[in-house]
Amino acid sequence: MTAMTELLIGAFAAAAVLGASAQATRFCPQGGLRETLLERKPTRLAAYGVAVGAALVAVALLQLALGQTLIPSRPAYTGPELPWGRYVLGGLLFGAGMVLARGCPLRTLVRVGQGSLQAVLVLAVMGLAAYAMSRTSLYGLWFAPWIDGWSLDLRRFGLAHQDLATVLGLGSTGAHVVLGLVLGAMALVLCWRALPLRKSWGLWLGAVLIGVVVAAGYALTAGPIGQRAIEDASFMGQPPDGLGVQSYTFAGPLSDAVYFLLHPSSQTTTFGVMAVAGALLGALLAALLRRDFRPQGVAGWREGARQLFGAVLTGGGAVLGLGCTVGHGLSGVSVLSIGSMLGLASIFTGAWLAIRLEAGRRVAPLAGAPGYTAASGG
């Protein structure tokens, strides 16, 4: 078995664990934020925080084991270029879009695995929007001429990378490890207050597994298997697509999956394609085992149109913003990327605005009804 085959099998297997864990725990940052804002139930949002904290700790320990600082290349979360305009605008679009679409790409994959035909349509539109943004002239013609100027080259300030440790002047691997462990522990402690371990150990287990899977992705691509795969590719006449240090995200991989389906003979299977396929299969198996698989039809035309419009914003925003709630929130934040922190903040800002606008539109027609109070909602 070649190193490339081992890499792809490992990526698929770890993604299956990710999909199964996301299904079993109803992992959904959008749903968690909605429940926190409208129902004062922070449980699912805290579970997302647990996954972030677990990813920070696991990736820090991985760097300690490898004896090196992880420098992702697909995408370059810690590169010297800080395209803050893309992070902010793409994040806002993605955040608003995932509210309208009723979930981020990972949650949509889980819904497909649970039997939702509507989610199949939403996922297809997300993928096509990501494909259009990354593999056609759309970005180059309509966005690049102005948004590429909203970028900051940190090398002008003597910084080779945009990770938090480097920005603080702590460039050693040891500093990255310590900072990751400290931030991860802080996140876990904060989430424990909203999500007590004794009462919610299942959610904790699933969220921690999701964070560990992010570290597993980096271990595969930055460790011995990934290095052997890169060395083998250097001797090939047509190297495989998508090699490099990376972990899980569902921004670019949706585009990769669409391109693979449209041109199966001209693109090799990539880490991203295996991530999408593995997460989908894992969610399906978990739904079957937990008896959560229930065939569901499409939504009504108004709700369906809203979800499809949200899917366009989500898929396009993910590529424009160079990440999603998994890419920026877990893979990017776990390597202390300043850009990913900005992107994640923009995603949640966009989602917060969309949730507030939706809630306001639903409440407004009822405001004049007899007996209506803001607290009751109707």
Side-chain angles (χ1 to χ4, degrees), residues 142-195:
W142 293 95
F143 292 92
W146 54 275
I147 204 168
D148 282 356
W150 299 0
S151 183
L152 187 62
D153 187 349
L154 298 181
R155 287 169 293 198
R156 294 166 50 192
F157 306 97
L159 299 173
H161 303 286
Q162 58 166 284
D163 61 87
L164 183 60
T166 299
V167 171
L168 294 176
L170 308 170
S172 67
T173 298
H176 283 78
V177 170
V178 171
L179 194 54
L181 290 174
V182 169
L183 292 177
M186 290 174 60
L188 293 174
V189 169
L190 287 174
C191 293
W192 175 77
R193 295 176 63 87
L195 192 67

Side-chain angles (χ1 to χ4, degrees), residues 5-38:
T5 302
E6 293 177 3
L7 176 63
L8 293 176
I9 291 175
F12 181 86
V17 175
L18 173 63
S21 299
Q23 193 283 327
T25 59
R26 297 175 60 239
F27 187 80
C28 181
Q30 178 272 146
L33 181 62
R34 183 189 295 273
E35 290 172 0
T36 301
L37 291 174
L38 303 183

Side-chain angles (χ1 to χ4, degrees), residues 26 38 54 72 88 104 120 141 153 167 177 185 211 216 221 275 281 284 332 342 350 369 377:
R26 297 175 60 239
L38 303 183
V88 172
C104 65
V120 173
L141 290 177
D153 187 349
V167 171
V177 170
T221 58
L281 179 62
L284 172 62
L342 176 60

Side-chain angles (χ1 to χ4, degrees), residues 74-77 81-88 90-91 94 139 162 249 251-252 315-324 327-328 332 339-340 343 347:
R74 295 183 60 83
Y77 291 123
E81 289 286 337
L82 183 65
W84 62 269
R86 294 187 64 171
Y87 290 140
V88 172
F94 180 95
Y139 176 80
Q162 58 166 284
T249 179
V319 174
L320 179 63
L322 301 171
C324 59
H328 278 322
S340 286
I347 287 172

Side-chain angles (χ1 to χ4, degrees), residues 359-370:
R361 289 185 61 186
R362 291 176 181 176
V363 169
L366 301 172

